[in-house]
Amino acid sequence: MSKYEVVIGLEVHLELGTKTKIFCSCPTTFGDEPNTQVCPVCLGLPGVLPVLNKRALEFAVLTGLALNCEINSYSKFDRKNYFYPDLPKAYQISQFDFPVGKNGYLKIQSNGETRKIGINRVHLEEDAGKLIHSNDGLFSLVDYNRTGVPLVEIVSEPDLRSAEEARVFLEDLKKILLYTGVSDCKMEEGSLRCDANISVRLKGEAELGTKTELKNMNSFKAVQKGLEFEVERQIERLENGHRIVQETLRWDETKGETVTMRSKEEAHDYRYFPDPDLVPMEIGVMMVEKVKKELPELPLEKKERFVSQYCLSDYDAQVLTGTREMAVFFEECVKLFSEPKIVSNWVMGELSMHMNAAGLDFCTIKVTPEDLVEMLEMLKQGKISGKMAKDVLAEMFNSGKKAHQVVKEKGMEQISDQGVLEEIIQEVIKTNPGPVADYKAKKKKALGFLVGQVMKSTGGSANPQMVNEILRDKLKNV
């Protein structure tokens, strides 16, 4: 066992889903032509005055509440001074000593253990622009469309003890943020980005080791791989008698290693001071109570309720609450079809399989809860077999047709007429004396063959349960 303990803290930047920027009315649409969503305010031209977007503040409060934070009644904006080409003002409007939220926590489950990870703070700030570097490295272009897009920064306490825990924390955090609706959390579009502070120390020591910062990781896979590499690198240096240098790194996916970007800045390097153009904010009780009403049932509570209310397994409940939309779809079905386990199996199984193959989600599929339940009722009543049900659902998914339409158009209704089945079975017995003799000689496989012949002669539409019952009964008298 390693003699070292890993210490990881995360800083998550989240683009809020407001329609306009945090301090002006420019739109926040992703992917528009470069520099078409800019104005003097987001470019920081002389003489302009920022005006706070109220919805951005409400989203920050909602994020803080979802992460069990105390909401500061007094909060303010500060200028964080640094020069970078994508920051035209040479300072970023952020929050220093009075963030919107503080002292929260998030519960995660890793390796069968539930751990409470502290949330140090939740604060508001504006995003910077985006640099686009030429392939030959000779020049760079800058797109200021992203400048001024509202961000919430979520800073965890250094409570994470492995790269695996960090990944689980981020996955659970993303799930919560999607439930609240404050952001689309699209990591591929930069809506959710993560920096990580990593250090190692000898087990039992109280003092933290020298940390490095891993910047701008935009996938869970990159976070885990980058952290695993950095932990091993730090331990190797310490074992070889070297010291850890405090620096900012990036994860190079191609090389599979961390690469130095710059020496690490401290807070005093930024020369924070209160922004004189934005008055301090009073976040009153009434506003907090109003925002609290927007707080939905969160994933962990919903999962626990699904286990107790619907008697589902922990695994089923975990999958069904993976997204708010999936949980809603499931519950809408259960309101109409009171067999949760059957609904769970179809939602998690066949329906999810078609969705994954088509790259669709519960907001974009044609199958409604009412449609799925209609198909389940037909299956329960014996009008279609299990195999037919899968074919019916596939057609419903592709065409948007109702279950009864698909069954009628394809002539898929199951034969459950006792008289009709008896006639067919008598004929099968008559034309297959060999297998019948085998069955009488207690060769079990013979029954399966005879059932297969009945299904073949009915094009697979005979009710298999009735076929088995009638066939066994008829064979007694042969």
Side-chain angles (χ1 to χ4, degrees), residues 128-146:
K130 184 178 178 182
L131 287 174
I132 302 146
H133 306 289
S134 67
N135 291 333
D136 56 13
L138 294 178
F139 63 90
S140 295
L141 302 172
V142 62
D143 177 8
Y144 288 121
N145 279 356
R146 202 174 66 178

Side-chain angles (χ1 to χ4, degrees), residues 14 16 56-72 99-106 119-124 152-155 173 176-177 180 182 283 288 291-292 295 298:
L14 179 75
L16 297 176
L57 175 60
E58 290 174 343
F59 274 167
V61 172
L62 186 57
T63 304
L65 291 173
L67 297 174
N68 307 292
C69 288
E70 302 166 20
I71 304 300
N72 273 321
V100 171
K102 62 182 181 181
N103 301 332
Y105 65 86
L106 189 160
I119 301 294
N120 177 283
R121 58 191 281 142
V122 170
H123 73 246
L124 264 175
V152 150
E153 182 171 347
I154 301 161
V155 182
L173 177 63
I176 288 172
L177 296 171
T180 60
V182 298
I283 305 176
V288 174
V291 173
K292 203 176 278 184
L295 195 63
L298 294 174

Side-chain angles (χ1 to χ4, degrees), residues 90-319:
Y91 65 84
Q92 179 188 27
I93 301 178
S94 182
Q95 294 192 289
F96 182 52
D97 46 359
F98 290 95
V100 171
K102 62 182 181 181
N103 301 332
Y105 65 86
L106 189 160
K107 284 183 184 175
I108 65 167
Q109 292 179 328
S110 178
N111 295 322
E113 183 186 359
T114 300
R115 298 231 301 121
K116 189 185 276 191
I117 308 299
I119 301 294
N120 177 283
R121 58 191 281 142
V122 170
H123 73 246
L124 264 175
E125 62 186 24
E126 60 181 346
D127 208 347
K130 184 178 178 182
L131 287 174
I132 302 146
H133 306 289
S134 67
N135 291 333
D136 56 13
L138 294 178
F139 63 90
S140 295
L141 302 172
V142 62
D143 177 8
Y144 288 121
N145 279 356
R146 202 174 66 178
T147 306
V149 169
L151 289 181
V152 150
E153 182 171 347
I154 301 161
V155 182
S156 86
E157 296 291 357
D159 293 341
L160 297 159
R161 291 291 172 266
S162 69
E164 165 72 11
E165 275 196 358
R167 182 186 58 77
V168 172
F169 174 89
L170 283 172
E171 288 177 349
D172 287 354
L173 177 63
K174 180 181 176 182
K175 201 187 289 185
I176 288 172
L177 296 171
L178 283 173
Y179 263 64
T180 60
V182 298
S183 171
D184 60 19
C185 295
K186 292 181 178 175
M187 297 184 82
E188 68 280 10
E189 294 182 4
S191 299
L192 182 67
R193 315 191 291 268
C194 174
D195 303 339
N197 291 303
I198 318 113
S199 64
V200 296
R201 64 184 172 190
L202 289 172
K203 285 182 177 172
E205 282 195 353
E207 189 176 346
L208 293 172
T210 303
K211 68 182 177 184
T212 57
E213 185 182 27
L214 204 46
K215 291 287 284 185
N216 287 334
M217 291 172 287
N218 59 2
S219 75
F220 295 139
K221 185 180 170 187
V223 169
Q224 184 161 356
K225 287 171 71 177
L227 286 171
E228 285 171 348
F229 179 89
E230 184 57 15
V231 167
E232 286 183 20
R233 186 188 74 84
Q234 290 192 14
I235 290 175
E236 187 178 337
R237 283 189 66 81
L238 292 175
E239 286 291 289
N240 290 321
H242 301 297
R243 67 184 182 88
I244 305 299
V245 178
Q246 185 166 329
E247 60 184 340
T248 300
L249 309 165
R250 66 178 175 83
W251 170 243
D252 189 317
E253 186 69 43
T254 308
K255 294 180 180 175
E257 63 184 33
T258 54
V259 179
T260 300
M261 290 174 68
R262 58 180 182 268
S263 61
K264 171 67 183 163
E265 299 91 344
E266 294 290 350
H268 63 262
D269 295 330
Y270 293 122
R271 294 167 289 115
Y272 281 98
F273 66 87
D275 191 299
D277 292 335
L278 287 157
V279 295
M281 299 174 287
E282 294 285 345
I283 305 176
V285 174
M286 285 181 66
M287 179 185 179
V288 174
E289 289 302 314
K290 175 177 173 283
V291 173
K292 203 176 278 184
K293 290 177 183 171
E294 293 185 44
L295 195 63
E297 182 182 33
L298 294 174
L300 186 58
E301 292 85 63
K302 194 180 285 289
K303 177 192 147 190
E304 289 170 353
R305 180 171 64 79
F306 275 22
V307 170
S308 62
Q309 182 175 346
Y310 300 120
C311 298
L312 297 174
S313 70
D314 206 57
Y315 173 79
D316 286 1
Q318 174 81 20
V319 174

